[in-house]
Amino acid sequence: MLPLLLALAPLLLHAQQVADPQLLREIRAIRAIDNHAHVVRPVADDTEYDALPFSLLEPPPAGTMPGPVPSRPDNPLFIKAWKALFAYPHADASEAHTKVAIALKEKAIRQHETTPGAYSAWVLDRQGIDIVLVNRIAMAPDLPGPRFRWVPFADALIFPLDNSLAKAANRDYNAFFPAEERLLKRYMEESGVRALPPTLVEYCRTVVTPTLERHRAAGAVAEKLESAYLRWLDFAPADEDNTARIYARHARGGPPSTADYKTLQDYLFAYVAREAGRLGMAIHIHVANGGGYNYDQRGSNPLLLTWAFNEPSLRKTNFVIVHGGYPYYRDTAGLISKPNVYADFSALSFFEGVQGQADILRIWLSAWPEKVLFGTDATPMADGVSWEEVGWTASQTAREALAIALTRMIHDGEITRARASELGRMVLRDNAKKLYGF
Ligand SMILES: [Zn+2]
């Protein structure tokens, strides 16, 4: 008996790792809502797809690999994406053939972009995506609603003072802060404010609130925070009077101490989050253990956000843990128990294969299926590999992973086959629809 069981064991294991084919077909047909992407406009030299593009960072040390394995340009899935999107005729991504892929993409843009937005909508159709939440500094007529929904960036608002101590402390902070300083200038100009106001109350009233209100009026559904690239995520309560004194002391220049500046940032984080909630926008927070060669992993554990998620004055704001808090998925599973906290699994196609993504989804779906959102983190990655290819790839692997996780749950008697269909729709579409009121 024992030898027979041992002989069957690999088969049983295999059975659990393969998706029910009919369920997978069903899941592939769902027109998804992508909770997180950086859509690039179909024009030359668009740089507004991220407030902190990695191109700002110093080049990687010689011999360093360009990101985790699934994110590298030689990922065979990117070749499949070229074939699916642009009828790419080659089986490899050699330098010469990559030029072919780029030329085919340019041809597709010329063919489809006869009306503004037609090309990007055509790409979404091929990715199986109905609506995409677009992280961008600014939107444009070639990314039209209702399929392209805006998620602007709010970090610039919470770092209004002299950032020189942070710049000296970390080389990635040093590379990124100038972009935030420029963006704050832009937000101030758009608010009709020339110099930093002398008091915190005035700064909030004349710069922060008007910027968030402008974003909302222009169709924003959420504000994005990339703070983990600029500081730790350990936001904490900040006394209003003390914070106002810190602000007033440094509004005219000179760096506040690291501790004082943290207090001000904590205050402004909560202010932004509260205002976003009042205006009906969610807060998206980049929470992932990685990004940049000097990234401070210690500061990006999702548990650092516990205070923010528990703070009574922020309970009317919905938060999304973007990238699922990679790799602390179990901690994220605990955090999404809170009424106003969600998680997406965008970017996980860079870090995890299909089985890895299925393992994570299985953990989350067993406990809080209403809080799980699909996302791609479609973004430029390499020559010829941009939001089109990354979005296509992530859409494929996420659906396979979802089908595998649900098949395992059926197999283990946790859910019925009918509930599996329902959960597939919730993750890919219905949870986001409900959260953003689409
Ligand atoms: Zn992103």
Side-chain angles (χ1 to χ4, degrees):
M1 194 60 194
L2 192 63
L4 179 65
L5 274 178
L6 282 176
L8 280 172
L11 280 177
L12 290 172
L13 198 67
H14 185 69
Q16 288 183 0
Q17 291 170 342
V18 171
D20 174 288
Q22 200 238 327
L23 180 62
L24 180 58
R25 259 197 309 280
E26 211 179 273
I27 283 175
R28 282 193 171 133
I30 297 169
R31 280 162 58 80
I33 297 175
D34 181 352
N35 187 67
H36 177 75
H38 303 262
V39 178
V40 183
R41 294 178 54 204
V43 295
D45 303 325
D46 174 29
T47 56
E48 299 204 316
Y49 60 84
D50 201 337
L52 300 176
F54 279 14
S55 55
L56 297 173
L57 294 173
E58 31 182 75
T64 313
M65 295 311 288
V69 169
S71 74
R72 294 180 194 167
D74 60 358
N75 182 341
L77 281 174
F78 295 145
I79 297 170
K80 273 190 153 180
W82 284 338
K83 286 182 181 295
L85 289 161
F86 309 116
Y88 177 70
H90 301 291
D92 63 80
S94 68
E95 212 173 302
H97 289 166
T98 298
K99 287 199 180 100
V100 173
I102 293 169
L104 284 170
K105 189 185 300 190
E106 282 164 358
K107 194 176 128 200
I109 292 174
R110 281 195 306 275
Q111 267 174 1
H112 293 282
E113 197 63 1
T114 43
T115 47
Y119 168 75
S120 304
W122 174 81
V123 172
L124 283 192
D125 289 340
R126 295 205 131 37
Q127 291 173 340
I129 289 169
D130 181 15
I131 298 172
V132 58
L133 273 61
V134 181
N135 275 223
R136 287 187 57 89
I137 289 178
M139 290 297 265
D142 47 24
L143 300 175
R147 296 188 73 184
F148 297 88
R149 305 290 190 123
W150 192 23
V151 180
F153 299 93
D155 296 288
L157 298 168
I158 71 175
F159 298 94
L161 300 181
D162 183 326
N163 295 303
S164 50
L165 291 186
K167 288 178 190 168
N170 178 294
R171 297 172 81 87
D172 284 10
Y173 295 177
N174 185 52
F176 278 147
F177 264 113
E180 296 295 357
E181 290 160 359
R182 281 193 298 277
L183 188 55
L184 178 59
K185 269 215 181 91
R186 181 166 169 175
Y187 287 163
M188 283 168 57
E189 269 166 34
E190 289 170 357
S191 307
V193 173
R194 247 184 281 159
L196 205 60
T199 68
L200 180 61
V201 173
E202 269 179 274
Y203 172 66
C204 289
R205 187 176 56 79
T206 63
V207 178
V208 182
T209 292
T211 299
L212 299 172
E213 285 177 343
R214 264 194 325 277
H215 289 170
R216 183 57 170 158
V221 297
E223 290 283 338
K224 173 75 181 298
L225 290 174
E226 302 179 313
S227 308
Y229 291 114
L230 304 160
R231 56 161 280 172
W232 287 26
L233 293 178
D234 55 345
F235 297 110
D239 174 76
E240 185 152 6
D241 293 341
N242 180 36
T243 309
R245 276 194 296 274
I246 292 167
Y247 177 93
R249 220 179 297 138
H250 299 281
R252 290 275 165 269
S257 74
T258 301
D260 278 354
Y261 203 2
K262 179 183 181 294
T263 301
L264 175 65
Q265 292 160 18
D266 290 352
Y267 178 90
L268 289 170
F269 161 82
Y271 183 89
V272 165
R274 214 163 22 245
E275 283 290 84
R278 176 180 71 81
L279 294 164
M281 294 188 287
I283 292 284
H284 286 189
I285 310 181
H286 166 100
V287 192
N289 178 346
Y293 296 95
N294 302 291
Y295 187 83
D296 196 335
Q297 276 78 4
R298 296 168 299 173
S300 58
N301 188 308
L303 293 180
L304 294 175
L305 292 162
T306 308
W307 171 78
F309 295 160
N310 285 345
E311 165 57 28
S313 72
L314 299 182
R315 275 281 157 96
K316 289 196 182 111
T317 303
N318 289 312
F319 291 96
V320 182
I321 300 170
V322 172
H323 316 317
Y326 162 79
Y328 307 110
Y329 309 118
R330 284 186 187 276
D331 294 329
T332 298
L335 291 169
I336 57 178
S337 69
K338 299 173 193 295
N340 55 334
V341 181
Y342 297 74
D344 82 18
F345 55 108
S346 64
L348 295 202
S349 67
F350 307 161
F351 305 127
E352 309 275 355
V354 167
Q355 296 295 337
Q357 290 186 61
D359 291 341
I360 296 152
L361 286 172
R362 170 77 191 258
I363 295 168
W364 290 356
L365 292 178
S366 296
W368 304 102
E370 307 81 6
K371 299 302 199 64
V372 180
L373 306 169
F374 160 73
T376 63
D377 205 8
T379 192
M381 307 254 326
D383 266 0
V385 178
S386 185
W387 79 276
E388 296 97 328
E389 293 80 8
V390 176
W392 184 89
T393 303
S395 185
Q396 297 286 319
T397 59
R399 286 166 204 265
E400 270 175 63
L402 182 56
I404 290 170
L406 292 170
T407 302
R408 285 189 212 159
M409 289 166 77
I410 299 169
H411 180 268
D412 293 350
E414 277 180 52
I415 54 169
T416 63
R417 174 64 184 76
R419 180 63 174 160
S421 293
E422 220 169 75
L423 292 182
R425 259 195 91 75
M426 283 162 61
V427 170
L428 285 171
R429 188 175 171 86
D430 292 348
N431 290 343
K433 220 173 143 187
K434 219 182 202 172
L435 172 59
Y436 302 110
F438 292 159

